[in-house]
Amino acid sequence: MCAVCGCGTSHDGHGHGHDHAHGGGKFDFGAGLAGVHIAGLSQERTIHIERGILAKNDALARINRRRLRDAGVLALNVMSSPGSGKTSLLVRAIQDLKARRPLAVIEGDQQTSRDAERIRAAGAPAVQLNTGNGCHLDAHMVSHALDELRLVPGSLLFIENVGNLVCPAAFDLGEAFRVVVLSVTEGEDKPLKYPNMFAAADLLLLNKTDLLPHLEFDMAGCLGAVKRVNPTIDILPVSARSGVGLEALYDWIGARASA
Amino acid sequence: MHEMSLLESIIDLVEDEHRKQPFDRVRTIRLRVGALAMAMPESLRFCFAIIARGTIADGARLEIENVAGAGWCEACGRGVMLTERYGPCPDCGSARLRMTAGDELQLADIEVE
């Protein structure tokens, strides 16, 4: 059983056996919990809850954030559409950074452990989270991955979210910063089409810049679109393949790791 | 497409309430969903019965109050209706716009017996 979220415990069976028809034209006003009916006091009542639907995720995310901060770990939630080069970027960053600081990766995918295997082959411990039908990671999944990873102080943790520009934006994982990766092959209007993702990010990595000579990519238009939805976002053009721009990324991370 | 996990979170909140105070079943669950909140009411309705099956909310009716998007435009100095997030003011085109409604994603209340 998980001590943080209580999962794995039975959901205290409410003894509702469904051997009766719901509604079914039967009105037994004495059959409530109290077993009596008092005039003017119906068994039926409205309970005002007024809670955010994501309140539980947000609470678990706060616990993750505190836990990571107390452990001296800088966590980055890396998000993008599928195929933008997230894993290739991480593989390259691990090869470049593993001599400088302890690293770890949480890999989110619908299926397979292929990405975690690529990360381990690059030289960093990795936990694979398979979401099955889920389209995003949530704070609960990440808390279990943190149990598994046993991070050492000073670690840099990359959380590679499920490839999806919509849903991951809504789920706080407890990360320190959010990084969105956009590859230049995807088109410059992505930030306007998927504004929530870009509005929620601290850093945009514009990847696959080595392909720019072969494309008609409107760089100014793209940067304008990003700034329109998020005026304060940092933007770094990079190429995971050639390595161009990666030192600037490592400086960006380093400045936040020591802060 | 994260409506399934939103519904799971809603059922979780209802089960929290059931642990706090006893009731036999949930008749109605009322949500407040903003037009700009990244959740589609149709999808929530579509998936609800499946997610609720076997839980305390099995058989409950899902009611959704839709909240329209609205914002305050600094340039116009007044409130405007919004149909997209992070877009310009629909009246004057200014980007100095603050969303004031439409972001709601709340479990308002439940009717139980």
Side-chain angles (χ1 to χ4, degrees), chain A residues 118-129:
Chain A
R118 282 176 69 188
I119 297 293
R120 288 186 202 115
V127 171
Q128 180 78 49
L129 294 175

Side-chain angles (χ1 to χ4, degrees), chain B residues 47-80:
Chain B
C47 305
F48 176 69
I50 303 161
I51 302 285
R53 192 173 299 155
T55 74
I56 185 69
D58 201 337
R61 193 173 66 238
L62 186 69
E63 285 183 7
I64 300 177
E65 180 196 338
N66 296 300
V67 183
W72 179 262
C73 175
E74 299 285 341
C76 298
R78 63 184 183 88
V80 292

Side-chain angles (χ1 to χ4, degrees), chain A residues 86-87 90 104-121 124-132 134 136-137 141-142 144-146 148-149 157-163:
Chain A
K86 286 189 298 301
T87 312
L90 294 187
V105 178
I106 296 173
E107 273 293 338
D109 279 300
Q110 211 180 3
Q111 291 190 159
T112 82
S113 326
R114 299 172 81 103
D115 281 359
E117 285 156 20
R118 282 176 69 188
I119 297 293
R120 288 186 202 115
V127 171
Q128 180 78 49
L129 294 175
N130 284 139
T131 56
H136 57 270
L137 294 180
M141 299 176 196
V142 168
H144 284 284
L146 293 177
E148 187 84 16
L149 275 171
L157 172 66
F158 294 106
I159 305 170
E160 184 181 336
N161 220 310
V162 178

